[in-house]
Amino acid sequence: MTSSRLDNVQNILLMGIFAFLIVTVPTNWIQFPDSGYYLATSENMLNGLGYWFNGYPNLQYYPGTSTVIAIPLFLFGLNFTLLQGFMALISLTGVFLISRYYPTKDYGLVGFFTPLLVLSSSIFSIQIYALLSDALFLTLSMIALVLWREYDKSKSYKMLWLCALVVALAPLVRLQGLFLIGAFGLSLLVNVFTSSSEKRTKLLIEALIIGILVMSPFALWTLRNYMLHSPDTFNMANNYFFGLEGLSIYAKGLQGDVSAEHVSSVWEFVYLRTTLFMGGLFESWYGGMSQLSRTIVTLFMLTISALGLKPWARRASKIELIYVGISLLYLAKGILAAKNLHIVYRYWVPMLPFIIIIMGLGISKLVNLSVFGKWRIVPRTAGMLLATLLLITGSLNLTDHITQSEKYEIEAQAVARLTEFAQQNLPQDAVVATVDWGILPRALQRQSYQVLNDPSFIQTVTRMAKYQTKYLVTYGKFARMNDPAKAMIAAYTELFDKQFSVFDDKPNTQIEVYKVDIDRLASEILKDQITTGADQIEG
C-alpha cells in the first residue's frame, strides 16, 4: 500500500476515534488523587487565593497543569463534561501530532501504527480525559519537537522562539520537562559548534540568552517553592532540589502497595521490576499475563528495541535523540536501582510514541534480515498481524469510560454527599485525616492530612496525633490507604465514632466519616507497640 493510501486510512481511523471520544466525554469526574490536587488549586487561583491547596502553598506540583485546568474552569465554571472534554482535546492533539511527526512516507507501517497504538494503550487511554499532567506533557513535548523540526528545516527564528516558549513551559507541567530543556540547550550548542567560525560567536551569545530565558520560569518558581517551604505539606520540588522534608505519601519503607517481602536479592528486584515495567506496557494492549509470559515478552521487547535504536537514531532530530535518550536512561535507573515493586505505569506516557517507534523499527529490521531470504513475507506478515492484534485488543480500552460511567456517577454522588455533610456538620476549624491527598481534601474544604499505608498504624497515628486530627474520612476507592485505616478502626472500635456513611453496599465506593479520640488512640497504639516489643524480646 502506498504512503498516501496509508495516510488516508490512518486519518479516517484517527478522525473516527477522535469524534467518538469527544462525543462520549464522561459527564462525571474521573477521580484520581492528583486530579483533586490540581483542580482544587485551580479553583483557589480563580478565587484569588493564590497557588495554594489545603491551606498551604502548593509545593507538590508546578503550576502548568493547574493553570491549564483553570482555563475552562474560568470560561465555563465547574462542568466536568467541559473540563474533561477540554483535556481530551489536548490529549488528542498530541496523538495527531505524533501522526504528523512520524509520517508514513518516512516511517511506513511503523508510522501508520504508532499513533493508533498510543491511543489504544490503556496507559494512555485512561489519561485522555483526566485532570492530570501526563497527556498534557506528551502534547507539549510533541509540539516542541514539531517546532524544532520546522526550525531545523527553515532556520526561522519564529519557529525557534515558539519552540523555546513551549520548552520553557514543559517543566512547569512535569519535572521531565527539564530533560526537554537539556535537549533543547544541547541541540542549540550543536548548531553553534557545527556552524562556520565567523557565525559562531554570535550564535553562541544567542544560544546563551535563549537558554537563560527558557530556564527562568522553572528556576523562579523553584525559588518561590524554597521561600514558601512548609514541612506540613507535600513538597516534591523542595525535597528533590533542596532536600527539605515535608509530608510523605507512603509510609516509610512501604512504597506503594506491592509487597516485596518475597524478594531476597538485588538481581530479583531488577528482574521483577524490568518484567513488570516492560511487560506492563505490552499488557496495556493485550491484557494480563503470567510472570513467565511477561518475561518472554520483555525479552522480545528488549531485543527489538536494541535492533530499532540505530535506525531510529539515524532519523531522529537532535532534540528528539537527546531528549528520548536522557528520559530512557532515567527510566532505566528507576527500574534498576529501586528496591521495591511499586511500578507507576503512567510514567510510560511521555515516552509511548518513541518506544513504539523504536520497537517498530526493530521489528522492521528483524523481519527484513537476509536470513529469511525469499521467505521474508512470512515474518513481515507476522509482524503486521501482531501490531493489528494489539490494536484490536487495545481498542477496547477506548470504551472504558463508557462501561464505567455508572461507577463514575456513584463516585460523584458519594463525594457530593460527603461535601454536603461536611458543610453542615464539621466545624470550619476541624482538622481531618483522609485516605487520599486530593479528592477528599477538596470535598471537605477542611484542613486535611493523609494517613499512610502502614499496617502497624504507628506512622499514621503519629501523624494524626501531631496535627490533632479529630476526624478520619475513609473512601473505598483508595484501597492502598483505606484498607490499613479500616483495619485500625476495626482494631480500636471504641475510639472511633461513625458520623456519616454512604454506599455501605458498595465497598469500593463507600465513604465514612469517624470522630476520633486521637489522644487515647495514640496512647493505645503506643502501649500495644511496647507490649509487642516486650513479648518479642521475651520470646
Side-chain angles (χ1 to χ4, degrees):
M1 188 181 292
T2 64
S3 63
S4 61
R5 288 187 178 180
L6 279 177
D7 274 340
N8 290 337
V9 175
Q10 185 191 67
N11 288 335
I12 291 170
L13 289 173
L14 287 177
M15 292 307 109
I17 295 170
F18 289 177
F20 167 75
L21 292 172
I22 293 300
V23 168
T24 59
V25 174
T27 56
N28 292 296
W29 187 9
I30 302 177
Q31 298 174 10
F32 297 90
D34 286 355
S35 66
Y37 217 106
Y38 287 126
L39 178 58
T41 304
S42 299
E43 291 171 324
N44 285 338
M45 291 165 64
L46 294 176
N47 290 330
L49 301 176
Y51 194 73
W52 282 52
F53 171 75
N54 194 25
Y56 292 99
N58 184 341
L59 307 175
Q60 178 75 354
Y61 299 117
Y62 282 74
T65 303
S66 288
T67 302
V68 169
I69 292 171
I71 295 171
L73 200 58
F74 172 75
L75 294 173
F76 310 113
L78 186 60
N79 182 315
F80 283 109
T81 302
L82 295 176
L83 271 175
Q84 293 176 151
F86 182 78
M87 298 306 289
L89 287 174
I90 293 174
S91 304
L92 299 179
T93 297
V95 175
F96 175 77
L97 290 174
I98 292 167
S99 72
R100 294 303 173 261
Y101 191 74
Y102 294 115
T104 57
K105 67 182 179 65
D106 297 325
Y107 289 86
L109 283 171
V110 177
F112 172 82
F113 279 108
T114 294
L116 295 167
L117 287 172
V118 169
L119 197 55
S120 60
S121 166
S122 63
I123 295 171
F124 180 82
S125 64
I126 199 173
Q127 305 285 331
I128 291 172
Y129 303 110
L131 307 184
L132 295 174
S133 63
D134 307 83
L136 170 59
F137 179 79
L138 174 59
T139 297
L140 277 178
S141 62
M142 292 311 304
I143 292 171
L145 293 179
V146 168
L147 289 171
W148 179 270
R149 176 175 284 177
E150 291 303 310
Y151 164 68
D152 241 3
K153 289 178 182 176
S154 65
K155 300 305 177 187
S156 163
Y157 273 91
K158 178 183 177 182
M159 292 295 109
L160 177 62
W161 281 104
L162 285 173
C163 182
L165 175 62
V166 174
V167 170
L169 295 175
L172 300 182
V173 171
R174 286 190 70 82
L175 291 181
Q176 192 174 340
L178 291 174
F179 301 156
L180 195 56
I181 285 182
F184 178 77
L186 288 172
S187 299
L188 283 178
L189 289 177
V190 170
N191 283 353
V192 168
F193 291 107
T194 54
S195 63
S196 59
S197 55
E198 59 269 17
K199 293 181 180 179
R200 197 166 295 162
T201 301
K202 175 177 175 290
L203 290 175
L204 181 59
I205 293 171
E206 287 177 356
L208 290 174
I209 292 170
I210 293 172
I212 291 169
L213 291 174
V214 164
M215 195 64 193
S216 292
F218 178 83
L220 290 172
W221 198 268
T222 302
L223 178 62
R224 169 261 187 195
N225 287 343
Y226 176 78
M227 299 298 290
L228 294 177
H229 176 73
S230 168
D232 301 320
T233 185
F234 303 116
N235 60 83
M236 177 171 59
N238 280 347
N239 188 266
Y240 279 170
F241 299 116
F242 306 111
L244 299 174
E245 295 295 330
L247 296 185
S248 58
I249 291 176
Y250 304 115
K252 186 176 181 181
L254 294 167
Q255 181 82 349
D257 58 354
V258 182
S259 172
E261 293 179 359
H262 62 287
V263 182
S264 57
S265 59
V266 173
W267 75 264
E268 284 183 274
F269 273 114
V270 174
Y271 160 67
L272 289 171
R273 285 183 63 84
T274 302
T275 54
L276 283 169
F277 202 64
M278 294 295 292
L281 176 58
F282 186 86
E283 287 175 312
S284 75
W285 294 291
Y286 186 74
M289 297 185 296
S290 67
Q291 181 58 34
L292 176 60
S293 299
R294 197 179 293 124
T295 300
I296 294 169
V297 166
T298 297
L299 289 172
F300 175 71
M301 291 171 74
L302 290 173
T303 300
I304 59 175
S305 296
L307 288 172
L309 274 175
K310 188 174 180 180
W312 164 74
R314 279 203 308 263
R315 305 177 194 205
S317 64
K318 292 185 286 290
I319 190 171
E320 177 190 351
L321 186 64
I322 299 168
Y323 165 63
V324 174
I326 296 172
S327 298
L328 289 178
L329 286 173
Y330 182 78
L331 282 177
K333 171 184 170 292
I335 293 172
L336 300 176
K339 299 298 185 292
N340 60 68
L341 298 181
H342 179 52
I343 305 294
V344 184
Y345 290 109
R346 65 188 179 90
Y347 290 171
W348 267 123
V349 171
M351 287 291 100
L352 267 180
F354 312 110
I355 196 68
I356 292 170
I357 280 288
I358 289 170
M359 289 193 296
L361 292 173
I363 290 176
S364 179
K365 186 173 182 179
L366 178 65
V367 301
N368 283 294
L369 289 174
S370 58
V371 68
F372 293 114
K374 63 181 181 179
W375 298 103
R376 285 178 189 168
I377 186 65
V378 176
R380 286 178 184 173
T381 303
M384 197 164 125
L385 287 175
L386 173 62
T388 304
L389 172 65
L390 293 182
L391 191 56
I392 292 170
T393 55
S395 64
L396 297 175
N397 296 322
L398 297 172
T399 63
D400 281 352
H401 63 288
I402 297 175
T403 58
Q404 298 192 50
S405 59
E406 183 180 355
K407 177 173 81 83
Y408 299 149
E409 183 176 359
I410 293 171
E411 290 172 354
Q413 291 174 14
V415 170
R417 288 170 66 177
L418 172 65
T419 299
E420 183 181 353
F421 169 82
Q423 289 172 348
Q424 295 174 1
N425 298 278
L426 295 187
Q428 283 293 331
D429 60 353
V431 183
V432 186
T434 63
V435 297
D436 97 300
W437 54 90
I439 301 295
L440 295 177
R442 177 183 174 273
L444 292 163
Q445 294 296 300
R446 303 293 188 273
Q447 192 78 63
S448 303
Y449 297 92
Q450 178 216 310
V451 300
L452 297 159
N453 56 324
D454 174 17
S456 73
F457 319 138
I458 295 170
Q459 294 180 54
T460 285
V461 172
T462 299
R463 179 177 288 182
M464 291 174 68
K466 176 181 178 180
Y467 297 107
Q468 284 295 292
T469 57
K470 302 295 186 182
Y471 297 88
L472 170 63
V473 181
T474 64
Y475 188 4
K477 179 179 176 68
F478 304 117
R480 181 182 300 167
M481 309 301 175
N482 192 72
D483 290 352
K486 296 283 282 187
M488 180 173 65
I489 294 166
Y492 300 93
T493 308
E494 71 279 5
L495 304 180
F496 292 88
D497 179 19
K498 186 185 290 188
Q499 305 279 300
F500 168 82
S501 182
V502 63
F503 291 121
D504 292 343
D505 59 331
K506 300 180 186 299
N508 293 334
T509 316
Q510 182 187 42
I511 295 180
E512 296 176 312
V513 178
Y514 294 87
K515 193 167 186 178
V516 186
D517 188 339
I518 185 58
D519 294 326
R520 279 189 62 198
L521 180 65
S523 175
E524 289 289 328
I525 285 184
L526 180 60
K527 182 175 69 176
D528 289 350
Q529 179 67 11
I530 292 171
T531 302
T532 302
D535 290 345
Q536 288 175 346
I537 291 171
E538 186 176 334

